[in-house]
Amino acid sequence: MVNESPDARPRRRLRPTRRGKVVLVVGALLVVSAAVLIPLSLTGSDEPPKKQESPQSTLMIPEGRRVSQVYEAVDKALDLKPGSTQAAASTADLELPAQAEGNPEGYLFPATYPVDDATEPAGLLRYMADTARKHFAADHVTAGAQRNNVSVYDTVTIASIVQAEADTASDMGKVARVVYNRLLKDMPLQMDSTINYALKRSTLDTTTADTQLDSPYNSYRIKGLPPTPIGNPGEEALRAAVSPTPGPWLYFVTVGPGDTRFTDSYDEQQRNVEEFNRSRGSAATG
């Protein structure tokens, strides 16, 4: 998020978002990983989990992946026809919160899951959702949501924005604070990541025309949070949404790698944006 009042002329390179820096390579998600496994049975049945001494392989879901990307990764991991996991999701009984209205976005927790020949997509999705519910039901999350005067579902939504927008983990708490500060001041969030979600893309470039998009996810036109999370946030982003860094900031822009600037001054923000545009222009012509 960069500009409080976008110029009427279409312009490129205005508002950077972290999501544009991340490209999902679905084929790389099926890995044998040393990461912590979620030790769960992943079959489609309701039988008690069977002990697995050594899973054949694992499926890693990185932080911030959208539901559509998770579906694609599961199809690839289980060698299924494209669209199979998405179809299974409609009957998987994921026990989502009422606010979700059946949409599992935000509730397919990023982690490393064991898979084998008996794994079925519905069972895998249920365990992802079960893992998310356990994390989101933790005392510090529920207490933080109450302290911030939002629901747990809203906290997950804020965490998903933080996951998409923060350039580094150390910036997450400040990004979360910008979200809360804008909500408290009844300002539109103006987050490029929500527009990217609506347009099903990942980019660092947002035009003024993009900000006129007719979508409930257009946080330039519509105040408040988007109707759902815009991805599946990880633990660090969730912590930032629960306990945002104290500060007055209303704006931020990532001028360069590791250089995100936060301010409560619109004029200072515009100067930072101009520096970002210059650096992007130099990179494009260099």
Side-chain angles (χ1 to χ4, degrees):
M1 177 207 59
V2 172
N3 214 339
E4 176 67 14
S5 300
D7 190 289
R9 296 167 297 172
R11 294 187 296 177
R12 305 299 291 180
R13 307 189 183 103
L14 285 185
R15 307 171 183 89
T17 175
R18 180 173 180 266
R19 184 176 297 282
K21 302 177 183 178
V22 183
V23 178
L24 174 65
V25 182
V26 174
L29 292 182
L30 182 58
V31 297
V32 176
S33 173
V36 177
L37 300 180
I38 303 298
L40 302 166
S41 169
L42 303 177
T43 66
S45 70
D46 293 325
E47 296 178 359
K50 296 179 181 179
K51 183 176 181 181
Q52 295 188 10
E53 294 296 336
S54 179
Q56 291 182 359
S57 58
T58 59
L59 171 63
M60 184 182 71
I61 304 298
E63 293 89 345
R65 295 306 187 248
R66 301 168 186 167
V67 157
S68 59
Q69 295 170 315
V70 175
Y71 292 159
E72 292 173 6
V74 173
D75 284 342
K76 182 74 173 181
L78 302 184
D79 195 23
L80 300 173
K81 182 174 66 175
S84 298
T85 302
Q86 182 175 357
S90 62
T91 58
D93 189 21
L94 301 183
E95 298 184 27
L96 301 170
Q99 270 184 278
E101 296 185 352
N103 185 342
E105 192 72 82
Y107 278 73
L108 301 182
F109 198 79
T112 301
Y113 297 89
V115 297
D116 60 23
D117 291 340
T119 302
E120 296 180 3
L124 183 52
L125 294 176
R126 276 198 295 274
Y127 281 115
M128 288 181 182
D130 287 346
T131 303
R133 282 200 309 277
K134 290 174 183 176
H135 278 78
F136 302 156
D139 289 344
H140 74 284
V141 175
T142 56
Q146 185 176 12
R147 183 174 61 251
N148 295 322
N149 199 30
V150 295
S151 68
V152 170
Y153 188 77
D154 289 342
T155 300
V156 176
T157 299
I158 292 169
S160 73
I161 294 173
V162 169
Q163 187 77 66
E165 293 281 349
D167 182 55
T168 65
S170 62
D171 290 334
M172 287 184 172
K174 289 184 176 181
V175 173
R177 177 54 65 191
V178 170
V179 172
Y180 283 113
N181 285 349
R182 283 187 160 250
L183 291 174
L184 287 171
K185 288 181 176 292
D186 196 31
M187 298 171 67
L189 295 183
Q190 297 189 322
M191 297 288 175
D192 294 356
S193 55
T194 65
I195 291 178
N196 280 340
Y197 183 80
L199 294 174
K200 300 179 181 178
R201 70 182 189 188
S202 296
T203 181
L204 288 174
D205 297 318
T206 300
T207 66
T208 300
D210 291 338
T211 67
Q212 303 305 310
L213 179 70
D214 183 13
S215 167
Y217 291 91
N218 183 354
S219 61
Y220 278 83
R221 298 185 64 181
I222 300 175
K223 294 179 180 179
L225 294 172
T228 71
I230 59 169
N232 293 280
E235 192 64 44
E236 286 181 312
L238 184 63
R239 284 198 299 268
V242 168
S243 300
T245 305
W249 312 292
L250 294 171
Y251 313 94
F252 66 89
V253 58
T254 299
V255 175
D259 183 14
T260 299
R261 301 180 188 178
F262 295 83
T263 181
D264 59 349
S265 165
Y266 178 69
D267 290 340
E268 183 179 353
Q269 173 70 1
Q270 289 305 101
R271 291 193 293 272
N272 291 336
V273 171
E274 290 172 3
E275 184 172 343
F276 164 75
N277 285 331
R278 286 195 300 272
S279 65
R280 289 274 286 170
S282 299
T285 59

